[in-house]
Amino acid sequence: MTTDVQLERTFDAAPERIYRAWLEPRLLQRWMAPGEITTTRVEVDEQVGGRYRIWHAQDGADAGGFDCELVELVPNERITWRWGFVGPQRQDGPRFDSQLTVTLRPAADGGTLLTLLHTRLDSLATDLPQVAGNIETGWKSAFDKLAGLSA
């Protein structure tokens, strides 16, 4: 059974704008969380090898987030991360590494076709199947927020 997640979605904004939405902390804070989870803090060191960290909260309590490394940056076209899922303990708790690649292509109507490929999720699926089982739903929910931001 594969645990990879692949999604495509068209956004009503140019690739440059969607690319920036993945890298600018003030924009990430507005959309990089599924459902009722909120993003409370964002750190982005925008360079290959740079840190990319997201803190989440739910119902006022720390809910963990992501501790990642930027692996590839192709302006307005592609970003690849070593994507780390972390719980509220961040450094002291378990961390589940995966790979996330976002590819952007101009859409015929002037928007952007975004393709997301999230792979290497096996250890997360083994240890936290409820979290792994919600990755696709979580990305779709976050994309709804991104669509509202980019419109």
Side-chain angles (χ1 to χ4, degrees):
M1 177 177 112
T2 183
T3 56
D4 295 351
V5 172
Q6 183 169 351
L7 298 170
E8 285 193 347
R9 177 133 177 202
T10 301
F11 293 90
D12 292 330
E16 298 81 14
R17 192 163 173 198
I18 300 300
Y19 182 84
R20 295 308 317 155
W22 284 89
L23 294 170
E24 290 186 19
R26 65 179 178 78
L27 297 174
L28 283 161
Q29 194 151 12
R30 295 174 56 193
W31 75 270
M32 182 56 86
E36 299 302 313
I37 294 174
T38 58
T39 301
T40 58
R41 184 173 158 196
V42 176
E43 292 178 3
V44 176
D45 178 13
E46 190 178 329
Q47 63 180 330
V48 171
R51 302 281 310 251
Y52 187 99
R53 301 173 78 193
I54 309 282
W55 282 260
H56 286 154
Q58 186 168 20
D59 299 324
D62 186 358
F66 311 117
D67 194 346
C68 314
E69 176 186 354
L70 288 160
V71 175
E72 179 185 36
L73 291 165
V74 180
N76 309 322
E77 293 179 18
R78 186 174 49 258
I79 307 171
T80 301
W81 296 260
R82 181 208 40 80
W83 195 264
F85 293 88
V86 294
Q89 300 83 18
R90 289 199 90 82
Q91 297 302 321
D92 297 329
R95 176 175 158 155
F96 299 93
D97 284 336
S98 59
Q99 181 170 309
L100 179 68
T101 300
V102 170
T103 304
L104 309 170
R105 293 189 310 272
D109 64 359
T112 300
L113 176 62
L114 181 150
T115 302
L116 175 142
L117 182 59
H118 203 154
T119 61
R120 301 180 189 163
L121 295 163
D122 297 335
S123 65
L124 180 67
T126 298
D127 291 356
L128 297 172
Q130 72 284 5
V131 173
N134 286 317
I135 289 175
E136 183 172 343
T137 302
W139 280 120
K140 287 178 179 179
S141 175
F143 283 178
D144 288 343
K145 293 178 185 179
L146 176 57
L149 179 68
S150 66

